[in-house]
Amino acid sequence: MTGKDIGLAASLLRSGKLAAIPTETVYGLAGNAFDENAVLSIFKAKGRPAFDPLIVHSDSIGKIRAFVKEIPDALEAFAEKFWPGPLTLILEKEEIIPDLVTSGLDTVAVRIPAHPLTLELLRSLDFPLAAPSANPFGYISPTSARHVEESLGDRVDYILDGGDCVIGIESTIIRHDSGGLTVLRLGGMPLEELRSIEPGIKVMTSSSNPAAPGMLESHYAPSIKLVAGDLEKLMEEYRHMKIAVLNLDKDISGENIVASLSLSPRGDLDEAAKNLFAYMRRLDRSGADMILADLMPEKGLGAAINDRLKRASAK
Ligand code: TXA
Ligand code: MG
């Protein structure tokens, strides 16, 4: 069932059931983070491997302090400046967070999402919500209630409809350790913003990332093949195929092109991020044999979009 009933979502969650929740990034598949059985149903519903830890959502730094050991000064500055917002911090967990949530790691990923419905829901609960993106494992993340219905509708008790996600790409994940500050996943909080607080922040490359095991996998992938790169070269290489093309701002047509979408005709990378996953879904259903995607300029949300396109083409 889909609707805007926060009270219903809250009572389902209190009784150990799952609800899909809107956030500014993507929809999450939420359950009581303190309840091992609820967390287990999240993994089952998504078909997610147990080695891929979940993000825990709360509505206040005060509540978060109760389930983490501490918020190091280096990360607190980010929390103060960017929460609620598309930024996830890796913190040392307290016992109350079940090992299942963190896949056995002694750290937990935490964020305060910026969505009025979900913040109101979280305020009414006395537990935080563990929530991965509400898509079957490996498929394109959902940015509307309808996307959740389409792929997980029969496996979630309630979908809280908060409209289209305004950012449209998952949160940026950062960690602080002896090696300093590191971005583990590029996302909705642009690197440039983070560097305004800490110019030295490093970015972990996607090739080897033991700290976030789930990020080694091919992800965000449509069911048909996707190849990302220099679109002109790709169109030449695949000229004998029935293709769908995705690019930033050009209107592209051709004999073998069955569908063409530009993420932002005015070349705005924020708008492009917001449209990315919905457009990938559309092209997945376009009847093409494959999708060719142009890479974006590596600035602002362009870097996170490129990260998602490359992972989608990893298969
Ligand atoms: O925007 C988002 O972050 C969305 C919304 C729902 O909040 N959530 C989301 O969750 O993208 P998910 O499960 O699709 O991605 C969580 C990522 C995974 O790549 C996982 O490996 C990483 O967070 N992660 C979770 N706990 C971690 C930890 N303790 N250390 C390092 N990485 C962790
Ligand atoms: Mg995900």
Side-chain angles (χ1 to χ4, degrees):
M1 203 190 353
T2 301
K4 294 181 190 300
D5 191 340
I6 294 173
L8 176 56
S11 67
L12 287 166
L13 289 162
R14 283 190 200 102
S15 62
K17 298 251 172 29
L18 304 185
I21 54 166
T23 82
E24 79 281 36
T25 59
V26 301
Y27 274 70
L29 178 62
N32 179 351
F34 293 157
D35 175 353
E36 204 157 12
N37 288 318
V39 174
L40 192 60
S41 2
I42 296 176
F43 279 94
K44 279 199 193 139
K46 259 193 83 108
R48 182 176 177 114
F51 60 73
D52 195 4
L54 308 180
I55 295 179
V56 172
H57 301 72
S58 182
D59 60 285
S60 79
I61 295 184
K63 282 185 180 175
I64 290 169
R65 288 192 203 282
F67 61 82
V68 303
K69 292 252 191 300
E70 59 157 358
I71 305 180
D73 292 345
L75 290 179
E76 189 156 8
F78 289 91
E80 297 284 352
K81 173 140 192 209
F82 296 121
W83 278 351
L87 182 68
T88 295
L89 305 182
I90 304 296
L91 302 168
E92 267 186 72
K93 81 177 189 75
E94 284 287 1
E95 207 85 321
I96 189 167
I97 298 286
D99 288 334
L100 191 59
V101 171
T102 65
S103 305
L105 296 172
D106 50 20
T107 53
V108 59
V110 184
R111 82 178 188 102
I112 301 180
H115 192 291
L117 285 190
T118 290
L119 282 173
E120 194 179 331
L121 172 67
L122 285 164
R123 276 195 288 270
S124 74
L125 299 172
D126 55 9
F127 50 82
L129 293 173
S133 50
N135 50 300
F137 182 69
Y139 192 62
I140 305 164
S141 300
T143 51
S144 70
R146 155 130 352 156
H147 292 163
V148 183
E149 264 164 30
E150 282 166 4
S151 52
L152 285 181
D154 53 346
R155 279 174 272 172
V156 50
D157 299 292
Y158 190 65
I159 300 169
L160 186 60
D161 187 352
D164 291 345
C165 300
V166 297
I167 292 181
I169 204 156
E170 294 85 348
S171 61
T172 301
I173 304 179
I174 62 173
R175 181 186 70 188
H176 179 259
D177 62 15
S178 51
L181 279 163
T182 312
V183 175
L184 299 182
R185 176 176 74 181
L186 295 168
M189 179 62 63
L191 206 50
E192 292 88 338
E193 293 271 331
L194 301 176
R195 292 208 159 120
S196 73
I197 293 193
E198 177 48 63
I201 193 163
K202 297 184 294 280
V203 180
M204 190 162 284
T205 54
S206 57
S207 50
S208 72
N209 186 354
M215 291 155 56
L216 285 172
E217 302 296 297
S218 146
H219 257 82
Y220 317 103
S223 13
I224 60 174
K225 180 175 158 146
L226 181 148
V227 183
D230 177 336
L231 188 56
E232 257 176 58
K233 287 191 190 136
L234 291 174
M235 282 175 26
E236 174 60 22
E237 183 180 345
Y238 292 101
R239 64 186 178 281
H240 304 301
M241 303 280 287
K242 219 166 91 184
I243 60 174
V245 298
L246 185 65
N247 84 113
L248 179 58
D249 52 6
K250 289 185 289 289
D251 191 10
I252 294 170
S253 58
E255 237 170 62
N256 65 327
I257 298 173
V258 299
S260 165
L261 291 174
S262 57
L263 289 168
S264 170
R266 58 194 164 98
D268 178 316
L269 291 166
D270 293 344
E271 182 181 46
K274 188 175 187 301
N275 288 331
L276 178 68
F277 290 139
Y279 284 15
M280 279 168 69
R281 281 169 189 260
R282 275 165 64 180
L283 296 180
D284 200 13
R285 288 189 308 240
S286 65
D289 295 328
M290 62 185 302
I291 300 168
L292 300 181
D294 205 12
L295 291 173
M296 306 290 123
E298 275 282 324
K299 57 173 192 213
L301 293 188
I305 297 174
N306 288 343
D307 171 83
R308 300 305 185 270
L309 289 173
K310 287 174 192 163
R311 285 178 207 274
S313 60
K315 262 186 191 157

